[in-house]
Amino acid sequence: MTLHLSLLIIVICSTTLHISTESTQPPYACDSSNPSTKSYPFCKTSLSFTQRASDLVSRLTLDEKVSQLVNSAPGIPRLGIPAYEWWSEALHGITNAGKGVEFTGRIVGATSFPQVILTAASFDAHLWYRIGQAIGTEARAVYNEGEATGMTFWAPNINIFRDPRWGRGQETPGEDPMVTGKYAVSFVRGIQGDSFQGGKLKDGDHLQASACCKHFTAYDLDRWHGVTRYAFDAIVTKQDLADTYQPPFQSCIQQAKASGIMCAYNRVNGVPNCADYNLLTNIARGQWNFNGYITSDCDAVSIIHDAQGYAKVPEDAVADVLKAGMDVNCGSYLQNYTKSAVMKKKLPVSQIDRALRNLFTVRMRLGLFNGSPKNLIYGNIGPNLVCTKEHLSLALEAARNGIVLLKNSAKLLPLSKTRTPSVAVIGPNANSANTLIGNYAGPPCRSITVLAAIQSYVKNTVYNQGCNAVKCTSASISEAVNIANKADYVILVMGLDQNEEREDFDRVDLVLPGLQQSLITSVAKAAKKPVILVLLCGGPVDVSFAKYNPKIGAILWAGYPGEAGGTALAEIIFGDHNPGGKLPLTWYPKDFVKVPMTDMRMRPQPSKSYPGRTYRFYTGKKVYPFGYGLSYSRYSYNIVSVTESQLYLNSLSVKQGLSNSSSAQYMLVSELGTESCEKAKFSATVEVQNHGEMTGKHPVLLFVKQAKHSDGMPMKQLVGFQSIALNGGQKAGVEFTLNPCEHLSVADENGQMLINAGSQHLVVGDAEYPISIVLN
């Protein structure tokens, strides 16, 4: 009875998504019918954004200027400027988690794509771009419908998933900086209206929506053993900054042309990120040519005084961030203390003007100062483009291609659609639509639970929750065992949820919560055949007990797969889709919790029993490695050709010996120059064959490793990835273009990128190909 009721509710929700109410006008400035404002230069589209923004700022009083420095910026009626909300969220779909989107009219939900960590497991950059496009379209639709007061979305989260306990790791593309950077580029280009290859959207062009890469920088701890993100001082080496923490943000700015970045709560080497002139102005704007706005995380300015004690008085905190290059404060601190900072001569008005020019330029690029947005380039995007069949299909595709098959003993999966008489579905995540969508998720278009999706394949499906909740402080083991003993097959849907990992909440262990393991092993022992274990979780869990238990025949990791995740899982379990996802992060053993989460070092230190972090440097045991993932097919690789197996690089100077490694020759990438780096590009072709009978979407991961590993260098490094669809028995070539300066370089202790002379190996699966670098 309860089950039928829950299914009925789901159907009702999906059929009443679009409420028939009258739409409202989106807020905008420069109304052509308003004679008092249309003559202002800031309304003239013939002028540049810089000229228009400068004119607008010059007309504001000090009080008006100060009012615009916070996320909830009030209107300026005398100039015809409406209120604007900078804080909106769109991590994996439009959500009302921020203040800018309301869902109070005809649009009451949006497509909920898989949480980012699962989408990343597809290793498919074009898929990431298409998701960004869909989110950008739905964002503009919500705005055009008058259900949003802002078009600046604070996504993506491109911090490195450095520690498996991090509650927000689920929001990220994983532990690899190159993957994370590629994700940022693809997603940002999609949401802002650029082409997949980039270059379509110039600085003077209108944005479909504004993306904001966060959290800049080295932010990957929320709350662990009394240490909070608000007061944490991340001690980071120049080497780790150069090759791990900073590259995704550099890609987001230089390649994706993101129009926003967010500075993080924490300090880095003593300096709060939002008050770091070197970080925000020298690096982001100076070295990387960032052209957009910089926002603080929410209340990040207040904590510089209140929690960190970096600023002696509130006015110092305000002066520090504005002088550093920050533009807008999520919170009210700048609204409260900026004027007094000016009065006390701690802050020149010119710094306020600089910030406001950046802010109004972005609003102008969004088309909000050109009259009614409905008459402009994106004006025809309406409610009919939200929750479309195409977007729902894309959400399903993303879930299908991200789900990772971790174990499949004796080819237990896929189950037969015609010869599976009965199934027992057990577990606290089996009948929870909410668990599927993860955090920063808005109301989905519709949701089908894992249980409901399995029932669509096998009518004789019996369900038992197994635990009182995901925390599983109590479990109905005997009842679950009794049900399992009677069914032909058993599917356990376990894992974590937002009560176990989330923002402001890091995990303290790496095992399944409460009595989950006892439930799983008891059910597996009682079942007629080996059971199938499905894990819904963002961060990794140590499931070694299941990996080596012969009564557990298959393990699937599904992250938080979004509103279509239940359907995707059922399709994989019953063979309508061939799984191909690969882990975007290392799965560590439970003993890893002995490593302090506060230790930011990537590289190991054996003398101190410090094992390092991520697949590039971690020297300890693994439950599952980065890039691991099975399929219903077997794939083979052969590196058939490399255009330049011996690379000759010319530099201004060739140096001898590294301070922390061998005496090999090396050269600095900075001395080689961009033109020389471009000329040195070469390609490698990998032949891939599907030896199975099923068609499969398969990610091909290309690594490079040094022939002789030395201290401080990655053990191996991902340098390229592509996803290819192959029919059963089909063979095809995949070409990778490599730039030695980007893909064959390493960071030294001073954070300088350099290229070593000598041998390296290109690696795909168990196939290797030697290349040699000659410096002269």
Side-chain angles (χ1 to χ4, degrees):
M1 186 69 177
T2 304
L3 172 62
H4 291 306
L5 180 59
S6 65
L7 291 176
L8 179 62
I9 291 171
I10 290 168
V11 171
I12 291 173
C13 288
S14 67
T15 55
T16 59
L17 179 61
H18 297 293
I19 298 174
S20 181
T21 59
E22 187 176 345
S23 63
T24 57
Q25 186 80 355
Y28 63 90
C30 300
D31 186 350
S32 59
S33 66
N34 185 346
S36 65
T37 62
K38 68 178 183 179
S39 62
Y40 290 135
F42 69 76
C43 289
K44 297 187 182 301
T45 58
S46 58
L47 299 177
S48 69
F49 290 130
T50 300
Q51 291 172 310
R52 296 173 67 189
S54 296
D55 175 74
L56 194 160
V57 172
S58 71
R59 297 175 184 277
L60 303 180
T61 66
L62 179 58
D63 286 338
E64 287 171 338
K65 289 177 179 180
V66 169
S67 75
Q68 299 298 302
L69 295 174
V70 293
N71 62 285
S72 298
I76 306 172
R78 70 182 184 86
L79 296 177
I81 299 173
Y84 186 82
E85 178 56 60
W86 287 92
W87 179 14
S88 295
E89 301 285 356
L91 181 68
H92 55 111
I94 302 301
T95 169
N96 49 3
K99 294 184 176 181
V101 175
E102 299 165 351
F103 290 135
T104 53
R106 290 197 293 175
I107 303 172
V108 297
T111 309
S112 186
F113 294 94
Q115 182 59 289
V116 178
I117 192 65
L118 186 75
T119 302
S122 68
F123 286 89
D124 186 343
H126 195 256
L127 173 67
W128 305 338
Y129 170 74
R130 290 159 57 209
I131 290 172
Q133 279 187 308
I135 292 173
T137 297
E138 296 197 356
R140 182 59 74 162
V142 172
Y143 190 85
N144 285 347
E145 195 59 21
E147 296 182 36
T149 50
M151 281 291 290
T152 38
F153 293 87
W154 291 352
N157 180 342
I158 57 169
N159 294 118
I160 298 299
F161 199 164
R162 171 189 61 97
D163 191 287
R165 292 161 286 191
W166 188 30
R168 300 190 73 174
Q170 61 180 287
E171 302 175 26
T172 76
E175 69 182 34
D176 182 79
M178 194 267 280
V179 171
T180 303
K182 293 283 188 185
Y183 179 88
V185 171
S186 301
F187 181 88
V188 169
R189 284 176 177 171
I191 199 171
Q192 291 195 159
D194 205 346
S195 63
F196 175 63
Q197 297 295 340
K200 171 188 171 185
L201 202 61
K202 309 298 183 184
D203 286 341
D205 291 341
H206 288 302
L207 300 167
Q208 177 175 244
S210 170
C212 173
C213 287
K214 63 185 185 185
H215 311 80
F216 195 40
T217 190
Y219 166 69
D220 48 22
L221 176 150
D222 270 56
R223 187 177 296 272
W224 178 82
H225 288 320
V227 180
T228 71
R229 54 184 173 168
Y230 309 113
F232 179 49
D233 186 7
I235 305 304
V236 188
T237 66
K238 293 179 180 178
Q239 193 172 30
D240 287 338
L241 277 172
D243 73 357
T244 298
Y245 296 108
Q246 293 289 65
F249 289 97
Q250 184 173 0
S251 297
C252 181
I253 289 170
Q254 291 186 324
Q255 297 178 46
K257 306 294 184 185
S259 49
I261 53 177
M262 175 187 287
C263 49
Y265 288 116
N266 58 291
R267 288 170 286 170
V268 173
N269 300 326
V271 183
N273 280 306
C274 293
D276 191 338
Y277 180 87
N278 184 57
L279 181 69
L280 303 186
T281 298
N282 285 346
I283 295 175
R285 293 198 187 276
Q287 295 177 26
W288 298 344
N289 297 314
F290 175 61
N291 183 23
Y293 77 100
I294 300 176
T295 179
S296 77
D297 206 336
C298 292
D299 294 322
V301 181
S302 66
I303 65 171
I304 292 173
H305 170 258
D306 300 341
Q308 297 171 354
Y310 183 84
K312 293 182 180 179
V313 296
E315 287 82 2
D316 286 338
V318 167
D320 286 344
V321 297
L322 286 171
K323 287 179 179 179
M326 199 195 80
D327 301 312
V328 64
N329 166 214
C330 180
S332 58
Y333 216 68
L334 261 63
Q335 202 169 48
N336 296 338
Y337 296 107
T338 300
K339 187 173 182 179
S340 58
V342 171
M343 296 298 103
K344 293 178 180 180
K345 300 191 182 302
K346 292 177 178 287
L347 177 71
V349 176
S350 60
Q351 290 291 358
I352 300 174
D353 292 347
R354 173 205 53 76
L356 293 177
R357 285 193 293 270
N358 291 332
L359 295 175
F360 282 112
T361 294
V362 170
R363 289 173 65 175
M364 289 172 179
R365 290 194 67 197
L366 286 164
L368 308 184
F369 280 75
N370 294 358
S372 175
K374 289 194 173 184
N375 299 326
L376 303 176
I377 181 173
Y378 299 111
N380 62 342
I381 297 176
N384 62 312
L385 293 181
V386 178
C387 293
T388 64
K389 289 182 179 179
E390 291 77 13
H391 292 176
L392 297 177
S393 176
L394 183 60
L396 177 58
E397 179 186 345
R400 284 173 181 154
N401 293 342
I403 292 170
V404 181
L405 179 63
L406 296 173
K407 179 181 180 180
N408 194 23
S409 301
K411 297 184 178 180
L412 173 61
L413 293 179
L415 301 183
S416 170
K417 289 181 284 187
T418 58
R419 298 190 302 276
T420 303
S422 63
V423 171
V425 177
I426 299 169
N429 277 332
N431 197 32
S432 171
N434 193 53
T435 300
L436 294 175
I437 59 177
N439 74 350
Y440 280 91
C445 308
R446 61 170 181 256
S447 282
I448 298 174
T449 65
V450 178
L451 173 62
I454 291 170
Q455 286 175 318
S456 70
Y457 281 90
V458 181
K459 290 184 178 179
N460 188 7
T461 296
V462 181
Y463 165 64
N464 183 271
Q465 186 170 317
C467 295
N468 59 329
V470 168
K471 196 175 290 290
C472 205
T473 52
S474 65
S476 53
I477 293 179
S478 59
E479 186 179 343
V481 163
N482 184 50
I483 290 172
N485 183 252
K486 296 176 182 178
D488 292 283
Y489 291 94
V490 177
I491 301 170
L492 289 144
V493 189
M494 314 297 285
L496 309 175
D497 65 3
Q498 300 308 304
N499 291 311
E500 299 298 314
E501 55 176 349
R502 64 180 185 275
E503 184 171 1
D504 205 30
F505 190 86
D506 298 324
R507 289 190 285 160
V508 295
D509 58 47
L510 295 176
V511 296
L512 290 170
L515 298 172
Q516 280 199 36
Q517 182 172 332
S518 296
L519 175 66
I520 293 167
T521 53
S522 298
V523 167
K525 183 178 180 181
K528 296 177 183 178
K529 299 182 179 71
V531 302
I532 299 152
L533 174 61
V534 174
L535 298 170
L536 298 181
C537 54
V541 288
D542 185 344
V543 288
S544 299
F545 77 92
K547 180 180 179 180
Y548 298 111
N549 186 339
K551 289 288 287 178
I552 299 173
I555 304 174
L556 286 160
W557 173 67
Y560 296 116
E563 67 176 79
T567 300
L569 272 164
E571 289 183 350
I572 288 172
I573 290 171
F574 291 97
D576 281 336
H577 183 78
N578 191 354
K582 293 183 179 293
L583 292 178
L585 72 162
T586 302
W587 280 35
Y588 299 84
K590 58 186 178 182
D591 288 346
F592 190 84
V593 296
K594 296 175 182 177
V595 177
M597 197 174 173
T598 49
D599 196 322
M600 301 292 291
R601 292 176 297 166
M602 304 305 298
R603 287 150 171 89
Q605 188 178 7
S607 63
K608 300 288 187 181
S609 300
Y610 183 68
R613 297 176 182 275
T614 78
Y615 78 94
R616 296 187 301 150
F617 303 106
Y618 175 64
T619 56
K621 294 180 180 179
K622 307 174 186 71
V623 179
Y624 291 107
F626 173 90
Y628 182 81
L630 304 174
S631 169
Y632 297 152
S633 299
R634 181 178 68 83
Y635 294 89
S636 65
Y637 312 97
N638 183 23
I639 303 175
V640 294
S641 69
V642 177
T643 54
E644 298 289 343
S645 59
Q646 197 163 41
L647 302 172
Y648 292 90
L649 300 178
N650 297 301
S651 173
L652 297 175
S653 62
V654 176
K655 298 173 176 58
Q656 194 75 27
L658 285 174
S659 60
N660 64 335
S661 63
S662 66
S663 59
Q665 289 183 328
Y666 69 94
M667 65 171 57
L668 296 175
V669 170
S670 60
E671 292 185 357
L672 196 56
T674 304
E675 186 175 344
S676 296
C677 290
E678 286 294 314
K679 288 182 179 178
K681 283 183 176 179
F682 66 100
S683 64
T685 301
V686 179
E687 185 181 79
V688 188
Q689 183 169 2
N690 179 350
H691 294 275
E693 296 179 356
M694 291 181 67
T695 296
K697 192 79 178 290
H698 183 70
V700 182
L701 276 54
L702 178 67
F703 295 88
V704 67
K705 67 178 183 179
Q706 305 282 333
K708 293 183 179 179
H709 180 258
S710 57
D711 291 345
M713 292 186 182
M715 291 179 287
K716 66 176 183 177
Q717 171 69 51
L718 186 68
V719 293
F721 58 90
Q722 291 186 46
S723 185
I724 183 173
L726 294 172
N727 296 324
Q730 187 180 4
K731 182 189 299 184
V734 178
E735 185 177 2
F736 294 90
T737 300
L738 302 179
N739 182 332
C741 299
E742 178 183 354
H743 299 116
L744 305 183
S745 62
V746 294
D748 70 6
E749 290 178 334
N750 296 315
Q752 298 183 100
M753 302 306 295
L754 51 88
I755 300 175
N756 287 313
S759 297
Q760 301 189 33
H761 290 268
L762 299 177
V763 180
V764 181
D766 55 6
E768 294 193 13
Y769 196 104
I771 57 174
S772 179
I773 298 174
V774 179
L775 306 180
N776 51 40

